[in-house]
Amino acid sequence: MNAIQEEILELKARMGATILAHNYVDAAVQDIADFCGDSLELSRKAKDNSAETIIFCGVRFMGETAKLLSPGARVLMPAKDAGCLMADMCDPEKIRAYKAGHPDHLLVAYVNTTAETKALVDVCVTSGNAERIVTKLGSERPIMFLPDQNLGANLNNRLGMKMDLWPGCCPVHHRIAPDMIKAAREAHPRAPLMVHLECQPEIVALADAALSTAGMLKFVEKSDAREFIVGTECGMIYRLSCAFPDRKFYGIEPKLVCKNMKKITLENVLDCLKGRGFEIEMDPELMAAAVRPIERMLELS
Ligand code: 13P
Ligand code: SF4
């Protein structure tokens, strides 16, 4: 632990705050978190939270989800502008227009959406529970899946479904190309290849497993392999290396970096604890509408 990390831990304990962090944040930030996880695990932690203050080390939609599930807590973000590029690809006005034109469709939204988008949909999913929830929803009503066209297409392929897909994606994962996979396979021929479900279907077809970030931890736990190729944001390599110090993890080149996740630093986490964080505040009406599809997700998963 360095001096700033020690100061964070001391202040956090004095304030009785909880630090939740996504698996993609910088190693130094993962080290001072009370809990590191994927979107689904972080939602569950927020729901069970009893601390007065949550410092959320991740992107804004994750902080909003924590606030929606733990409305009595103060949820603070260390970086004001840590957004999610995919969440920004859903314009609420366009969703309203879609709904007006497709009144029979069920709207299923990836949790990587703003509270405004959540307020307009029927149910949310994360990459960790999407398959289970979409299967449960069945095919009684046509479905529009938003905003990740890749996750949606991967689900359609796996489940033999024909959900409509919103034109959105995660640019960090979308840019993984077959030649990058080929190079990683050639460099590490004995390593199974895990990719995130936000990758394009042609990349998923080349992988040994397509998973959420928590799914990757479970995959490694069950595997006898000693080394793995990790097709997701580079923060996950540190998370896996800490959980499995006796295994080796290799990223995809060029390195996959979510610039927004990297906006969370030890310095701004400390600032947050010193009263200079950015509190998540939402209109009560918006909160009531946006929490509904998240609660539905937790019931179904
Ligand atoms: P996970 O839910 O798998 O952690 O993914 C969240 C995310 O933003 C991936 O880009
Ligand atoms: Fe959003 Fe992609 Fe960053 Fe995940 S990696 S937070 S989907 S921009």
Side-chain angles (χ1 to χ4, degrees):
M1 287 274 146
N2 62 29
I4 178 160
Q5 286 175 315
E6 277 168 12
E7 195 179 351
I8 287 173
L9 295 186
E10 202 183 298
L11 259 179
K12 172 181 81 95
R14 215 184 304 151
M15 280 173 64
T18 292
I19 301 185
L20 300 182
H22 187 265
N23 291 327
Y24 290 163
V25 296
D26 260 342
V29 178
Q30 291 191 26
D31 284 346
I32 49 88
D34 291 288
F35 180 78
C36 272
D38 76 345
S39 311
L40 181 59
E41 293 170 327
L42 290 167
S43 314
R44 291 202 174 114
K45 278 280 164 195
K47 194 171 167 65
D48 297 341
N49 166 67
S50 56
E52 237 172 71
T53 304
I54 298 174
I55 311 284
F56 203 102
C57 301
V59 293
R60 186 170 170 97
F61 80 81
M62 297 178 176
E64 283 182 355
T65 305
K67 178 71 185 173
L68 292 168
L69 290 170
S70 194
R74 212 157 52 110
V75 178
L76 301 175
M77 301 287 300
K80 194 179 182 191
D81 59 344
C84 165
L85 300 171
M86 169 160 31
D88 294 341
M89 292 180 189
C90 255
D91 173 358
E93 271 320 303
K94 288 197 179 138
I95 302 176
R96 281 191 196 94
Y98 182 88
K99 280 173 72 151
H102 304 78
D104 56 331
H105 277 59
L106 201 63
L107 267 68
V108 179
Y110 193 22
V111 74
N112 295 37
T113 40
T114 61
E116 285 76 11
T117 295
K118 288 188 176 80
L120 296 171
V121 307
D122 297 290
V123 59
C124 285
V125 300
T126 72
S127 47
N129 62 20
E131 192 171 334
R132 200 170 329 137
I133 293 181
V134 170
T135 305
K136 277 192 186 166
L137 294 174
S139 49
E140 250 171 58
R141 277 174 69 187
I143 295 176
M144 160 51 89
F145 187 87
L146 66 166
D148 189 358
Q149 63 187 27
N150 292 332
L151 175 57
N154 289 324
L155 290 167
N156 275 346
N157 291 344
R158 254 187 211 181
L159 303 171
M161 293 182 72
K162 287 199 171 88
M163 295 186 293
D164 281 357
L165 307 176
W166 195 264
C169 68
C170 164
V172 179
H173 289 92
H174 192 76
R175 80 174 172 83
I176 302 181
D179 60 323
M180 292 158 72
I181 298 292
K182 192 166 169 266
R185 288 273 202 203
E186 277 169 13
H188 312 290
R190 283 190 305 277
L193 166 74
M194 308 183 284
V195 297
H196 198 276
L197 277 158
E198 289 173 12
C199 295
Q200 299 186 61
E202 60 171 328
I203 299 303
V204 167
L206 297 172
D208 296 300
L211 304 154
S212 69
T213 56
M216 291 182 183
L217 284 148
K218 289 187 198 122
F219 180 86
V220 173
E221 195 177 12
K222 286 193 194 139
S223 169
D224 292 329
R226 309 314 297 164
E227 48 185 19
F228 300 83
I229 303 166
V230 184
T232 193
E233 211 276 347
C234 58
M236 193 59 200
I237 308 254
Y238 182 70
R239 180 78 177 89
L240 286 159
S241 308
C242 290
F244 304 99
D246 58 332
R247 321 260 185 122
K248 282 208 171 97
F249 300 96
Y250 308 108
I252 303 265
E253 297 294 336
K255 199 168 168 178
L256 305 171
V257 183
C258 174
K259 288 195 180 126
N260 284 298
M261 288 283 183
K262 280 8 187 197
K263 287 178 183 165
I264 314 299
T265 63
L266 288 178
E267 287 72 21
N268 57 28
V269 172
L270 184 61
D271 276 350
C272 219
L273 286 160
K274 289 183 171 170
R276 294 191 289 271
F278 301 92
E279 184 165 359
I280 302 266
E281 286 175 304
M282 284 176 276
D283 174 81
E285 226 173 277
L286 171 65
M287 285 182 74
V291 77
R292 222 180 3 89
I294 307 176
E295 295 279 15
R296 178 115 198 261
M297 167 184 90
L298 294 175
E299 278 158 34
L300 289 169
S301 65

